[in-house]
Amino acid sequence: MDSRKNDPREIKTKVDSYYKKKSYSYLLKLLTIFILSITQLSCSPVKKQNRIIIASAGKIDSLDPAQASTLRALQLISALGDPLYRIDYEGNLIPKLAKEKPKVFNNGLTIDIPLREGVLFHDGTIFNAKAMEFSLKRFMKIGTQSYVISDRIKDIETPSSYLLRIHLTKPSSSINGLLTSINLTPISPTAYANHKDVFLNKKFIGTGPYKLISFQPEKQRIEPFDSYWEKSPQNEGIDYINFINSSSLFGAIKSGEVDLLLSNSVEDGHRLALNRMSQQGKLLEGEGPAMEIGYITFKTNSEPLNNKLIRQALSYSLNRKLITKKVSFGLREPLRSIVPPILNKDNKNLWPEYNPQIARELLQSSGYCSKKKLEIPLTFRSNVPADKLLALIWQEQIKRDLSDCMILELNGVESTTVYKQLSEGVYSAVILDWTGAYPDAEAYLSPLLSCEEIIKDKCLSGEAVISGSFWGSHEVQQGLNQSEKNQGFNRLQDLKEVEQYALKGAAYLPVWLVKPRAWAQLNISKPEFDGSGLLLLDRIKKQVE
Amino acid sequence: MNRQRALFKYLASRLAIAPLMIWLISSLVFVLLRIAPGDPVDAILGNRANEVAREALRAKLGLDLPLIKQYLIFILNLLNGDLGKSLTTQEPVSEIILRSLPASIELSFCALVIAILIGIIVGFQGISNRNKRTDLIGRVYGISTYAIPPFWAAMIVQLIFAVTLGWLPIGGRFPPTLTEPNITGFLLIDSILNRDLISLQGAIRHILLPASTLGILLSGIFSRSLRLNLEQQLDSPFVEAARSRGISKSRIIVNHALPNALLPILTITGLTIASLVGGALLIEVTFSWPGIALNLQEAINQRDYTVVQGIVVVISSLMVLISLTVDMIIAYVDPRVRY
């Protein structure tokens, strides 16, 4: 026994084992220190400020109102600048930088807009009619979406320091809605003197409640503007951060890393989870007016969808309730009109409800169902998860209800390609969405239906071609033209009639309606939206501990 | 031929070929972008713009010119070191690259350090305990890191450390409430240069999750190749001879086997660096890391031809440069290499 105890090999093994254990113990200690240091770092006072962190999806490449087109950029510009008018939740035109509502005269060809006095730009210069003229003309010259107004505006004048006069090419009642556009937010002529013809992406000098402190594509900082003409913001500033994917956005609000999350590009599964959290009292949810419509365009100038009966059959075959429940768990609303109901309340249930029996009868009358099956290629944007789910569910639903009559063949294409090929007539049926440039029925009807050249019911050039339907109607065109000449109730009636004609043509199939939502932590006030679906950043309050 | 002369000749020929390679790559990208469906004008204006507006923008961006003329302008500008301006924002492409490349390099460097450290520890443990439980665990670990999809791993890591435990931020590169230091573009270095501890903490907290995820995923390559190469070396006659002379196991591994086993690791490291310079797209996307891969992806989505071309040219040039450097280092440290 003793000899084994003194065996040098045995001793060496024991020593090795001792050192091994010791080294593991050191490693464990190091790991503990590392974890502790991380935990301590997480307690750093970085977030304990009276500022609000708002997260939204995607980068912001430009803050130039002539260039910005994404919702996230427009959302930020809406806090940095004021438009002439804003639309409230009830759809009323509220003067902002304009002093009162526009005065139309000269047979609808001239509009006078009296402007507010005593308004300053963030660089200290004065806002007046010249500044507004500069901003409008700059947008018309270099604005990426200048085509929206360039056709309508003939000239702009400034008869006095605070009066803007717009001469139109033809009477246009929809110009009122256009004047609420964030893209027409005035900018300081002094600050943009060297950028009359080029974009200024990383700065913004407007008149809004906030001024821009720093700009990076993935992070922007704004702080209240001390000399703001109206009520000051209810917070001390906003850090606006942009994450790329829905999971990060969801995780950021759930973990409390951000104070408020905007719903754009948040996937439906995450929206549902956030909605449930708000119902459980863990978050506050605010929702804006439903302005985004999801719809399907049918190409009407070639077989088989040139047959109106088939298009109508497809309208009857779509179970919106089931689809919205499966895709968005009920957070998207079924839609049976191509104008959001908030803009056209009487026309909210135009398109037919789901009825496979009528769909079958219509297909039978077109020669299908007995031996012949109708094959419809349905294209969806492969980078939009909701579209893919819609396509899959509709396909399965048709298999269940009308398998002897019809087959949907699915085809996923990246959205940039879809937009490019839409007017080339590549897609027989394609799932798309649309948000009007301003909250007005016309901003939904014209882009889908207006047509410059119509032969029979085929559109050869115009918006209907760009939309991919190629469907044209003289009645629709007359209705749209008439609506531009009328105001108020008569105008609304004209637009309602236009939508009735669109229903008869069945070139579009409305599917669902999407409301903008925002979720806030419990120490933040409930998010509020304006009538055009933009979050009112200046009304967000934070309870400081 | 003298070895040094042969190496010089080899490097000279590689350097001479490099511009040709870059030209070929950039030409290929130029052509492929134009063949691909989609249009930058659509991406900028949307598909609702009228033909007049579209044509005006096309002319402004130079997209109305014949393709061959566009190509010649691109190549001429490239020769002058001008990568052009972004079609969507009109921002110089060089500025976009300068802004995003440091983010990718910083992430790649940290990930590589983590990968090498873990790889060496796991590899060593495996070879020290050959065919034992530790070795088996190390081998399974190595294979697992190959097999796990990066985006999945990244999301799980986010879920655990950012959402559930709340220890680290879920994404981004710097705390939104702080002002980024702006000296070199490398935020860790800039925070140190500014002697700003809070900024440094913020930068470390933000890089920890993406770098660890990427590092762990890459570490398997290092651990497995280190173990395999060490095993080969330990079975070789010169190690047997060292053992018979009574040299200790640890000395044999560290002094005799390791230097030889590290040579293939050096090659792998070079290749990994070269691929990481192009950014780790899935990691950058998941963690919203504003690196070059993320910019490239967005530019492709927007059909921003000039940005895509510029990024590809810069990445391919860096790749050529890095692989050349690695070749030089290998030639320097390994006298057996012949050219």
Side-chain angles (χ1 to χ4, degrees), chain A residues 385-411:
Chain A
D387 284 12
K388 187 176 181 179
L389 284 174
L390 190 165
L392 285 167
I393 294 164
W394 195 20
Q395 186 186 45
E396 286 305 310
Q397 189 214 305
I398 281 176
K399 263 188 209 168
R400 186 193 65 189
D401 301 335
L402 298 158
S403 58
D404 52 329
C405 301
M406 189 163 65
I407 302 170
L408 278 188
E409 292 164 353
L410 305 190
N411 178 28

Coordinates of all heavy atoms in Angstrom, one line a residue, chain A residues 385-411:
Chain A
P385 N -44.9 38.4 -46.6 CA -45.4 37.2 -46.1 C -46.9 37.1 -46.1 O -47.5 36.0 -46.4 CB -44.9 37.2 -44.6 CG -43.7 38.1 -44.6 CD -44.0 39.1 -45.7
A386 N -47.6 38.2 -45.9 CA -49.1 38.2 -45.8 C -49.7 37.8 -47.2 O -50.7 37.1 -47.3 CB -49.6 39.5 -45.4
D387 N -49.0 38.3 -48.3 CA -49.5 38.0 -49.6 C -49.4 36.4 -49.9 O -50.3 35.8 -50.5 CB -48.7 38.7 -50.7 CG -49.0 40.2 -50.7 OD1 -49.8 40.6 -49.8 OD2 -48.6 40.8 -51.7
K388 N -48.3 35.9 -49.4 CA -48.1 34.5 -49.7 C -49.1 33.6 -48.9 O -49.7 32.7 -49.5 CB -46.7 34.1 -49.2 CG -46.2 32.7 -49.5 CD -44.8 32.4 -49.1 CE -44.4 31.0 -49.5 NZ -43.0 30.7 -49.2
L389 N -49.4 34.0 -47.7 CA -50.4 33.3 -46.9 C -51.8 33.5 -47.5 O -52.5 32.5 -47.6 CB -50.4 33.9 -45.5 CG -49.3 33.4 -44.6 CD1 -49.4 34.1 -43.2 CD2 -49.3 31.9 -44.3
L390 N -52.1 34.7 -48.0 CA -53.4 34.9 -48.7 C -53.5 33.9 -49.9 O -54.5 33.2 -50.0 CB -53.5 36.3 -49.2 CG -54.8 36.9 -49.7 CD1 -54.7 38.4 -49.7 CD2 -55.2 36.4 -51.0
A391 N -52.4 33.9 -50.7 CA -52.5 33.0 -51.9 C -52.7 31.6 -51.5 O -53.5 30.9 -52.1 CB -51.2 33.2 -52.7
L392 N -51.9 31.1 -50.5 CA -52.0 29.7 -50.1 C -53.4 29.3 -49.6 O -53.9 28.3 -49.9 CB -50.9 29.4 -49.0 CG -49.5 29.3 -49.5 CD1 -48.5 29.3 -48.4 CD2 -49.3 28.0 -50.4
I393 N -53.9 30.2 -48.8 CA -55.2 29.9 -48.2 C -56.3 30.0 -49.2 O -57.2 29.1 -49.3 CB -55.5 30.9 -47.0 CG1 -54.5 30.6 -45.9 CG2 -56.9 30.7 -46.5 CD1 -54.4 31.7 -44.9
W394 N -56.3 30.9 -50.1 CA -57.3 31.0 -51.2 C -57.2 29.7 -52.1 O -58.2 29.2 -52.5 CB -57.1 32.3 -52.0 CG -58.3 32.6 -52.9 CD1 -59.5 32.2 -52.7 CD2 -58.3 33.4 -54.0 NE1 -60.3 32.7 -53.7 CE2 -59.6 33.5 -54.5 CE3 -57.3 34.2 -54.7 CZ2 -59.9 34.2 -55.7 CZ3 -57.7 34.9 -55.8 CH2 -59.0 34.9 -56.3
Q395 N -55.9 29.3 -52.3 CA -55.7 28.1 -53.2 C -56.4 26.9 -52.5 O -57.1 26.1 -53.1 CB -54.2 27.9 -53.3 CG -53.9 26.7 -54.3 CD -52.4 26.4 -54.3 OE1 -51.8 26.4 -53.3 NE2 -51.9 26.3 -55.5
E396 N -56.2 26.8 -51.2 CA -56.7 25.6 -50.5 C -58.2 25.7 -50.4 O -58.9 24.7 -50.5 CB -56.1 25.6 -49.0 CG -54.7 25.1 -49.0 CD -54.5 23.7 -49.7 OE1 -55.3 22.8 -49.4 OE2 -53.6 23.6 -50.5
Q397 N -58.7 26.9 -50.2 CA -60.1 27.1 -50.1 C -60.8 26.8 -51.4 O -61.9 26.1 -51.4 CB -60.4 28.6 -49.7 CG -61.8 29.0 -49.4 CD -62.0 30.4 -49.9 OE1 -61.3 31.3 -49.5 NE2 -63.1 30.5 -50.7
I398 N -60.2 27.1 -52.5 CA -60.8 26.8 -53.8 C -60.7 25.2 -54.0 O -61.6 24.6 -54.6 CB -60.1 27.6 -54.9 CG1 -60.7 29.0 -55.0 CG2 -60.2 26.9 -56.3 CD1 -60.1 29.9 -55.9
K399 N -59.6 24.6 -53.6 CA -59.5 23.2 -53.7 C -60.7 22.5 -52.9 O -61.2 21.5 -53.3 CB -58.2 22.7 -53.0 CG -57.1 22.5 -54.0 CD -55.9 21.9 -53.3 CE -54.6 22.3 -53.9 NZ -53.5 21.9 -53.1
R400 N -61.0 23.1 -51.8 CA -62.1 22.5 -51.0 C -63.5 22.8 -51.6 O -64.3 21.9 -51.7 CB -62.0 23.2 -49.6 CG -63.0 22.6 -48.6 CD -63.1 23.5 -47.4 NE -63.7 24.8 -47.7 CZ -63.7 25.8 -46.8 NH1 -63.2 25.7 -45.7 NH2 -64.3 27.0 -47.2
D401 N -63.7 24.0 -52.1 CA -65.0 24.4 -52.5 C -65.3 24.2 -54.0 O -66.4 23.9 -54.4 CB -65.3 25.9 -52.2 CG -65.1 26.2 -50.8 OD1 -65.3 25.3 -50.0 OD2 -64.9 27.4 -50.5
L402 N -64.3 24.4 -54.8 CA -64.5 24.4 -56.3 C -63.5 23.6 -57.0 O -63.1 23.9 -58.1 CB -64.5 25.8 -56.8 CG -65.5 26.8 -56.2 CD1 -65.1 28.2 -56.4 CD2 -66.8 26.6 -57.0
S403 N -63.0 22.5 -56.4 CA -61.9 21.7 -57.0 C -62.3 21.2 -58.4 O -61.4 20.9 -59.2 CB -61.5 20.6 -56.1 OG -62.6 19.7 -55.9
D404 N -63.5 20.9 -58.7 CA -63.9 20.4 -60.0 C -64.0 21.5 -61.1 O -64.1 21.3 -62.2 CB -65.3 19.7 -59.9 CG -66.3 20.6 -59.2 OD1 -66.0 21.4 -58.4 OD2 -67.5 20.4 -59.6
C405 N -63.9 22.8 -60.6 CA -64.1 23.9 -61.6 C -62.8 24.7 -61.8 O -62.6 25.3 -62.9 CB -65.2 24.9 -61.1 SG -66.8 24.2 -60.8
M406 N -62.0 24.8 -60.8 CA -61.0 25.8 -60.9 C -59.7 25.4 -60.1 O -59.8 24.7 -59.1 CB -61.5 27.1 -60.3 CG -60.7 28.3 -60.5 SD -61.6 29.8 -60.2 CE -62.0 29.7 -58.5
I407 N -58.6 25.8 -60.6 CA -57.3 25.6 -59.9 C -56.5 26.9 -59.9 O -56.5 27.6 -60.9 CB -56.4 24.6 -60.7 CG1 -57.1 23.2 -60.9 CG2 -55.0 24.4 -60.0 CD1 -56.3 22.3 -61.9
L408 N -56.0 27.2 -58.7 CA -55.1 28.4 -58.6 C -53.7 27.9 -58.7 O -53.3 27.1 -57.9 CB -55.4 29.1 -57.3 CG -56.5 30.1 -57.2 CD1 -56.5 30.9 -55.9 CD2 -56.6 31.1 -58.4
E409 N -52.9 28.5 -59.6 CA -51.5 28.1 -59.7 C -50.7 29.3 -59.1 O -50.8 30.4 -59.6 CB -51.1 27.9 -61.1 CG -51.7 26.6 -61.7 CD -51.5 26.6 -63.2 OE1 -51.1 27.6 -63.8 OE2 -51.9 25.5 -63.8
L410 N -50.0 29.0 -58.0 CA -49.3 30.1 -57.3 C -47.9 30.4 -57.9 O -47.2 29.5 -58.3 CB -49.2 29.8 -55.8 CG -50.5 29.6 -55.1 CD1 -50.3 29.5 -53.6 CD2 -51.6 30.6 -55.5
N411 N -47.5 31.7 -57.9 CA -46.3 32.1 -58.4 C -45.7 33.2 -57.6 O -46.3 34.3 -57.6 CB -46.5 32.5 -59.9 CG -45.3 33.0 -60.6 OD1 -44.2 32.6 -60.3 ND2 -45.5 33.9 -61.6

